[in-house]
Amino acid sequence: MPTSFGVHCNGCPYENAKHLSQEDREIRSAPLSMDKGRQATVLLIFQAPGVNEWRNGRPVSSTALRSAGGRLTKAFRQAGKTRDNYAITNTVQCFPGKRSQAADARDKLPPVLVSKHCTKWLEQDIRSGPYTHVVVFGSLARRAVEALDYDCDERFRFIKHPAGGLSNTELYAAVS
């Protein structure tokens, strides 16, 4: 649950957002923290924040229809729930940047070393509530959770990332 670039960031390639352009670096002065819903018994773990999340300071909160945040909001509505029913975090707490300067460029995948630096925060997020279900989205998040030895914990469900071929039906089932 970072509130600033701290001891976990020492030696990380993303420390102080030095990997980002000056423009993206000026958006935030700290990694993102978990968005903990008031009624959360389910934890959702995603990969890393996109530029919209980096701007607004909340994980998986983009409103773009095809984004993970947009698709998640739609799935919440279909399930008759809101964000308050969930805690939402990322494996990597900093925006990794874009793959190119093109307006429609995809986000970079964070290197494994970055994920290792964020492991302590992910562990804190997992332990921060009495979660009855934990849904892990994508292979990067899966590897981080497995490294923390939660892969045999029955509360955890591993599924594809919304940008990686997860169907709307699968996403709806994951948050229901």
Side-chain angles (χ1 to χ4, degrees), residues 84-96:
D84 281 345
N85 297 107
Y86 304 89
I88 305 171
T89 194
N90 287 303
T91 301
V92 170
Q93 306 297 333
C94 292
F95 172 52

Side-chain angles (χ1 to χ4, degrees), residues 111-125:
V112 173
L113 179 60
V114 173
S115 181
K116 286 181 181 179
H117 278 277
C118 286
T119 298
K120 297 256 190 231
W121 280 319
L122 180 60
E123 176 98 44
Q124 288 174 355
D125 288 348

Side-chain angles (χ1 to χ4, degrees), residues 70-92:
R71 293 185 64 207
L72 195 59
T73 299
K74 183 178 178 182
F76 290 162
R77 275 196 309 267
Q78 288 178 316
K81 301 192 179 201
T82 68
R83 273 183 90 92
D84 281 345
N85 297 107
Y86 304 89
I88 305 171
T89 194
N90 287 303
T91 301
V92 170

Side-chain angles (χ1 to χ4, degrees), residues 43-173:
L43 173 62
L44 307 178
I45 302 174
F46 286 85
Q47 183 168 283
V51 71
N52 291 324
E53 287 79 9
W54 192 241
R55 281 188 183 109
N56 67 34
R58 293 179 74 198
V60 196
S61 58
S62 174
T63 57
L65 295 177
R66 298 186 72 195
S67 70
R71 293 185 64 207
L72 195 59
T73 299
K74 183 178 178 182
F76 290 162
R77 275 196 309 267
Q78 288 178 316
K81 301 192 179 201
T82 68
R83 273 183 90 92
D84 281 345
N85 297 107
Y86 304 89
I88 305 171
T89 194
N90 287 303
T91 301
V92 170
Q93 306 297 333
C94 292
F95 172 52
K98 294 286 187 182
R99 292 183 184 176
S100 75
Q101 298 299 328
D104 62 346
R106 307 234 355 128
D107 294 343
K108 291 179 181 176
L109 287 175
V112 173
L113 179 60
V114 173
S115 181
K116 286 181 181 179
H117 278 277
C118 286
T119 298
K120 297 256 190 231
W121 280 319
L122 180 60
E123 176 98 44
Q124 288 174 355
D125 288 348
I126 292 169
R127 292 177 180 229
S128 71
Y131 303 115
T132 58
H133 294 64
V134 180
V135 184
V136 181
F137 294 87
S139 59
L140 180 78
R142 180 184 192 113
R143 285 191 302 271
V145 167
E146 287 172 346
L148 292 170
D149 291 328
Y150 285 106
D151 51 320
C152 294
D153 187 320
E154 292 181 5
R155 297 174 301 154
F156 286 73
R157 181 171 176 211
F158 300 91
I159 62 174
K160 295 176 186 174
H161 190 276
L166 182 69
S167 73
N168 288 336
T169 303
E170 291 169 311
L171 182 57
Y172 169 74

